[in-house]
Amino acid sequence: MKHRLEIETMGKMKVAGPQYANGEITISGSKNSALPILAATILTDEKVILHNIPNLADVNTMIEILENTGKKVMWENSTLVIEKGEEKINSILPYGPVRKMRASFNVLGPLTIRNGYAKVALPGGCSIGVRPVNFHLEGLKKLGIESKIEHGYTNSKFTENNHQKKIHISLPFPSVGATEHLITTAVMLKDTETILTNCAQEPEIVDLCNFLISMGARIEGQGSSNIKIYGTDRLYGTEYTIIPDRIEAGTYAILGAILGGKVTLNNVIEDHLFSLLDIFEKLGIHYEFKNNTLIVSGISKMELTPVDVETSTFPGFPTDLQPQLMVLLSLIPGRSSITENVFKTRFNHVDELNRMGAKIFVESNTAIITGVTKLSGAPLEATDLRASAALLIAALAAEGETVINNVDHIFRGYEKLFDKLEKLNLSVEYFE
Ligand code: EPZ
């Protein structure tokens, strides 16, 4: 089997609905944990073994970046073995892979600490909204890393005497990426104590910190809004298993609520999904949680109650489940709303759902949803990863045929998608 998923041409998916979901699947490892943890492997030359890594387009892009730094990376099923290559670590990275994926920007700090300098492309915008990196660069500056943006690249250099022994960085917003980037850099500042305040508390941050601690780092407060990092000059090889993907789990749970029958999801951590399960309770959706298994049973939408939801940083409701939840709320009688507080313009999926007969209108960063009894199949355009997942769920629920164009975004975040749909008794046709 070809292990690496390269996306050249954008494929389409044809779906005949409505379909009924029934079955059992196992949730894969977390994409948003794998990416920062892979970037952090730059901090050691020793062997790192990572288990439960999802085989996704984004993970393979990060592997390509690590190979460009000189690392040797090998897959063994869902395990990655990362070792030092022949050459000295290279910290000048090509434009292509970094441009493709924002999360790769987080190699800048670790590379600059390792080599004293680095050159990494500035990540571009993306369809979910403007995504600057000012918090990253301002924080790195406090850690002694000066960056200059030239010709689309960030050129950075570390000046030893630039940094103090005690550093305090307060993030203007609890950014996931900036928190991860600054932690992964501060761990290698010898004899330096860095305090990050107002930082992100997502489970992926905790997973990254636990990984770094398994390499010998000293970190306190992960999972809270204040994290303390005691820098060192050396980190060691390790063997580590990453957490399951709470966004993949949430996506299939919402699919189960809309299309179920009975959908059983194994390898799910309940604490990571509390905000979604709270909403399920408010809506009146039946679910059961035992031994890391979530069972969701669909019921007639007529019996469900409309709700008002706000996205926010963890432990609030995740923006990465917002498009999927909008599909569910569009089928519940009455008026619901979703206010998007993390990416205020993340509504590309709204016009597509309205094309299927949904009644959604957006006012500033709030979508007002008036429930309809059914959606109808239509030709659709997918714009990003989570929007693709939402449109796929809508197509499976809709009456008639839907064709989703530009659907390959979905492979960036959903592993073994066709196997899992089949196990849930669902069928889609994919063609290039
Ligand atoms: C991470 O992106 C996730 N990606 C995103 O998931 C997720 O939507 C996001 O966090 C929020 O939960 C990965 O983990 C790889 P942020 P990130 O920095 O780190 C603003 C998916 O579908 N901001 O927390 O890029 C920013 O514009 C992806 O899996 C600045 O203004 O998100 C946004 O409004 C999509 N300046 C807010 O903060 C900065 O320097 C949150 O962004 C950094 C961020």
Side-chain angles (χ1 to χ4, degrees):
M1 179 179 85
K2 188 165 151 259
H3 231 61
R4 305 223 163 154
L5 288 162
E6 304 291 348
I7 297 180
E8 278 97 23
T9 55
M10 277 276 183
K12 301 174 195 298
M13 249 182 230
K14 194 164 22 184
V15 183
Q19 298 190 28
Y20 193 65
N22 229 331
E24 180 164 353
I25 60 170
T26 298
I27 296 300
S28 300
S30 161
K31 166 182 82 77
N32 291 347
S33 251
L35 298 177
I37 286 177
L38 283 168
T41 63
I42 285 169
L43 297 173
T44 184
D45 286 338
E46 295 179 18
K47 188 176 185 174
V48 171
I49 301 172
L50 295 174
H51 299 294
N52 196 28
I53 302 292
N55 181 5
L56 296 166
D58 278 8
V59 168
N60 288 303
T61 302
M62 188 58 94
I63 291 173
E64 198 184 331
I65 287 165
L66 289 180
E67 287 169 341
N68 274 291
T69 70
K71 289 274 186 187
K72 260 193 337 198
V73 186
M74 276 205 312
W75 278 104
E76 286 165 13
N77 301 320
S78 62
T79 292
L80 279 177
V81 181
I82 300 139
E83 290 177 281
K84 179 177 179 325
E86 317 313 317
E87 309 303 317
K88 183 171 167 310
I89 211 151
N90 158 41
S91 55
I92 297 185
L93 293 184
Y95 192 80
V98 178
R99 173 90 188 75
K100 242 196 294 190
M101 181 183 69
R102 235 191 108 67
S104 44
F105 187 66
N106 281 26
V107 298
L108 181 79
L111 284 175
T112 313
I113 290 288
R114 297 269 352 239
N115 271 3
Y117 69 91
K119 181 175 179 179
V120 172
L122 206 57
C126 106
S127 57
I128 69 173
V130 277
R131 301 177 75 181
V133 289
N134 50 331
F135 304 160
H136 297 239
L137 298 178
E138 284 150 21
L140 288 176
K141 188 165 179 172
K142 288 207 168 164
L143 296 177
I145 294 179
E146 292 287 343
S147 304
K148 245 202 259 113
I149 314 286
E150 281 161 341
H151 314 298
Y153 280 88
T154 315
N155 296 281
S156 65
K157 72 176 185 316
F158 176 57
T159 16
E160 190 61 40
N161 55 19
N162 228 355
H163 87 277
Q164 298 90 39
K165 291 297 173 207
K166 219 171 165 58
I167 301 169
H168 174 223
I169 303 171
S170 173
L171 287 173
F173 181 90
S175 149
V176 171
T179 301
E180 292 164 343
H181 201 170
L182 298 174
I183 292 170
T184 317
T185 307
V187 281
M188 285 293 269
L189 287 181
K190 189 168 182 323
D191 308 332
T192 302
E193 189 183 311
T194 303
I195 300 168
L196 283 185
T197 52
N198 194 30
C199 51
Q201 304 174 40
E202 272 66 5
E204 294 77 22
I205 305 275
V206 176
D207 208 24
L208 170 65
C209 291
N210 292 341
F211 167 70
L212 290 166
I213 290 166
S214 79
M215 291 170 88
R218 277 184 55 216
I219 304 172
E220 293 160 6
Q222 58 273 23
S224 79
S225 58
N226 300 322
I227 296 179
K228 205 181 254 187
I229 304 119
Y230 301 90
T232 174
D233 59 356
R234 176 156 183 212
L235 291 177
Y236 303 86
T238 185
E239 183 157 0
Y240 188 81
T241 301
I242 72 165
I243 56 173
D245 197 311
R246 65 192 169 100
I247 304 297
E248 185 196 22
T251 302
Y252 282 110
I254 292 170
L255 176 151
I258 296 174
L259 303 172
K262 190 173 157 197
V263 164
T264 302
L265 309 175
N266 299 317
N267 194 24
V268 180
I269 299 177
E270 188 172 9
D271 295 5
H272 296 175
L273 280 183
F274 273 144
S275 59
L276 175 65
L277 300 176
D278 281 354
I279 292 170
F280 275 9
E281 268 156 42
K282 285 197 194 109
L283 288 167
I285 288 169
H286 301 174
Y287 73 89
E288 216 188 314
F289 218 111
K290 61 176 187 287
N291 314 330
N292 289 358
T293 291
L294 171 61
I295 302 168
V296 180
S297 314
I299 57 168
S300 146
K301 311 291 170 295
M302 307 315 287
E303 293 167 43
L304 301 181
T305 322
V307 290
D308 297 315
V309 173
E310 299 236 356
T311 69
S312 87
T313 54
F314 193 87
F317 182 72
T319 173
D320 293 344
L321 286 178
Q322 181 256 93
Q324 301 91 315
L325 183 71
M326 196 178 284
V327 180
L328 173 56
L329 299 187
S330 69
L331 290 163
I332 295 176
R335 183 191 168 287
S336 296
S337 71
I338 301 182
T339 300
E340 174 53 67
N341 295 313
V342 180
F343 295 105
K344 295 201 181 326
T345 58
R346 190 179 196 167
F347 292 113
N348 290 326
H349 42 287
V350 170
D351 292 347
E352 301 309 299
L353 293 176
N354 285 343
R355 207 184 290 284
M356 303 176 86
K359 287 203 176 76
I360 308 167
F361 77 93
V362 177
E363 215 166 68
S364 161
N365 62 328
T366 296
I368 313 292
I369 306 149
T370 307
V372 294
T373 49
K374 66 177 177 63
L375 296 174
S376 318
L380 305 176
E381 203 69 37
T383 48
D384 61 78
L385 165 58
R386 307 303 172 185
S388 327
L391 297 184
L392 175 58
I393 297 173
L396 288 161
E399 287 188 5
E401 184 180 282
T402 296
V403 173
I404 309 172
N405 296 293
N406 270 349
V407 78
D408 289 3
H409 299 284
I410 208 165
F411 301 122
R412 299 184 61 174
Y414 295 92
E415 192 193 32
K416 301 188 187 107
L417 178 70
F418 301 123
D419 301 352
K420 291 181 182 177
L421 291 175
E422 207 175 311
K423 287 202 177 94
L424 295 175
N425 191 30
L426 299 167
S427 69
V428 299
E429 210 188 315
Y430 174 78
F431 47 102
E432 308 246 334

